[in-house]
Amino acid sequence: RADIDVLCQALEKIDPGAPLEGRWRLVYSSEAGIYRSSPFFWGFKKLLKNAPDAPLQLRNSRDTSYAENVFALTDGLPLYEIGNCFHTITSTSVVSEVEVQLKLFDSLLPRASTIMTTTARAQPLSVSLENQRGLQLTLESTRIVDSTLETLLPPVFGFLGDFSFPTESAFSQLADRLGDGRVPPDAATVNMFATYTSDTLRISRTESGMLFIHVKDIDEIFW
C-alpha cells in the first residue's frame, strides 16, 4: 500500500485534469473493505467521529474509534463477498454502486447477489487544495437494487425491492435528537478530492485519508 501511495503522489503532480464525468470502476482501495469506496461509509465514519472509543479494539482495526471497529467487524464476516464497485459522476451527482454476493445458503441455494446504491448531490468545492479538484457530496439515500434474494426467498426478502435509507434526513434527525454535539450536523456532507484524472484513470482521496483508484468503464472509452 505504501508503494502505491508513493506512485499516486507522483501522478498527482502531473494531473491532466480530464473531466470527472462518466462511469468509473474501482481497481484499488487503501481500505481492507472495498465497499468503503461508497460515500455512504465516508458519511458513516464522519457520523461517529465524536463518539467515544470502542471498549475493545478488534485485531484488524487500525485504531480504537467506533467507526474503524465497525468496519473491522464487517470486514471479518464470512457471509459475503464484494464484487465490482462503480462511481457514476455527472455535473450534479455521484452514484455509487457496490455489488455484494451473499453466501448465506451456498449449500442449498444459488449464491445471492444485490447492489447497494448510494446517491449524492454533487457540487464543486469552493476551495480546493493545490492539484486537487474537490466535490462536495450530500448523501441523499442508499438503496438495495437488483437483489436476487427477492426471487430466492420472497416471503423473507421481498421487502428489499422497496428498501431505501434516507441518509441525509436520517443523519440530520439523529444530530437534532441528540443535540449534544456527539453527531456532527453535517455528517451527510462529505468531500471527495480528485487528485489525478486522465481519460482512463482517476485517483481520489477523502477527508479521512482513504485512497481509491478507478478506471473509466470500457464502454465509455470506446463509445
Side-chain angles (χ1 to χ4, degrees), residues 23 35 37-41 84-88 93-100 114-120 139-147 160 163-167:
R23 181 172 167 84
Y35 60 85
S37 63
S38 169
F40 174 84
F41 296 101
N84 286 322
C85 301
F86 295 94
H87 283 171
T88 301
S93 69
V94 173
V95 177
S96 165
E97 300 168 67
V98 177
E99 298 178 357
V100 183
T114 190
I115 299 176
M116 174 185 168
T117 301
T118 295
T119 301
L139 308 175
E140 294 182 327
S141 63
T142 294
R143 299 179 57 224
I144 302 297
V145 300
D146 296 337
S147 176
L160 287 176
F163 176 81
S164 178
F165 179 75
T167 312

Side-chain angles (χ1 to χ4, degrees), residues 103-123:
K103 303 185 292 182
L104 298 174
F105 312 107
D106 271 7
S107 60
L108 300 174
L109 298 170
R111 182 171 294 190
S113 63
T114 190
I115 299 176
M116 174 185 168
T117 301
T118 295
T119 301
R121 298 191 304 277
Q123 62 180 18

Side-chain angles (χ1 to χ4, degrees):
R1 284 195 173 96
D3 289 342
I4 291 177
D5 193 270
V6 169
L7 290 173
C8 286
Q9 291 179 42
L11 286 173
E12 288 164 346
K13 294 178 181 178
I14 55 170
D15 178 18
L20 297 175
E21 288 80 3
R23 181 172 167 84
W24 301 85
R25 179 172 59 86
L26 183 73
V27 293
Y28 172 79
S29 167
S30 63
E31 310 305 300
I34 62 174
Y35 60 85
R36 282 177 250 173
S37 63
S38 169
F40 174 84
F41 296 101
W42 313 349
F44 176 79
K45 186 170 184 176
K46 188 174 181 179
L47 183 76
L48 296 179
K49 74 174 185 178
N50 295 332
D53 286 348
L56 175 67
Q57 181 176 351
L58 298 180
R59 185 177 60 180
N60 57 333
S61 175
R62 65 177 54 174
D63 58 42
T64 59
S65 68
Y66 253 107
E68 287 296 335
N69 278 271
V70 170
F71 290 152
L73 179 63
T74 304
D75 295 343
L77 293 175
L79 305 177
Y80 74 96
E81 290 179 358
I82 301 298
N84 286 322
C85 301
F86 295 94
H87 283 171
T88 301
I89 302 176
T90 72
S91 60
T92 59
S93 69
V94 173
V95 177
S96 165
E97 300 168 67
V98 177
E99 298 178 357
V100 183
Q101 294 185 350
L102 302 176
K103 303 185 292 182
L104 298 174
F105 312 107
D106 271 7
S107 60
L108 300 174
L109 298 170
R111 182 171 294 190
S113 63
T114 190
I115 299 176
M116 174 185 168
T117 301
T118 295
T119 301
R121 298 191 304 277
Q123 62 180 18
L125 282 171
S126 56
V127 177
S128 292
L129 302 178
E130 184 180 0
N131 294 329
Q132 296 184 3
R133 287 176 294 165
L135 287 179
Q136 183 181 80
L137 309 181
T138 301
L139 308 175
E140 294 182 327
S141 63
T142 294
R143 299 179 57 224
I144 302 297
V145 300
D146 296 337
S147 176
T148 60
L149 281 172
E150 297 175 71
T151 304
L152 291 174
L153 292 171
V156 179
F157 298 106
F159 71 94
L160 287 176
D162 300 320
F163 176 81
S164 178
F165 179 75
T167 312
E168 182 178 11
S169 61
F171 284 12
S172 176
Q173 289 173 21
L174 183 59
D176 290 343
R177 182 168 297 180
L178 293 177
D180 57 4
R182 281 183 291 172
V183 174
D186 61 345
T189 301
V190 295
N191 296 330
M192 179 183 77
F193 299 99
T195 54
Y196 176 93
T197 310
S198 70
D199 291 335
T200 57
L201 181 72
R202 174 168 62 88
I203 300 171
S204 57
R205 297 178 185 268
T206 71
E207 298 166 274
S208 61
M210 299 180 189
L211 168 66
F212 302 106
I213 302 175
H214 290 76
V215 294
K216 184 67 73 71
D217 187 67
I218 193 70
D219 290 337
E220 297 207 4
I221 294 174
F222 291 102
W223 299 101

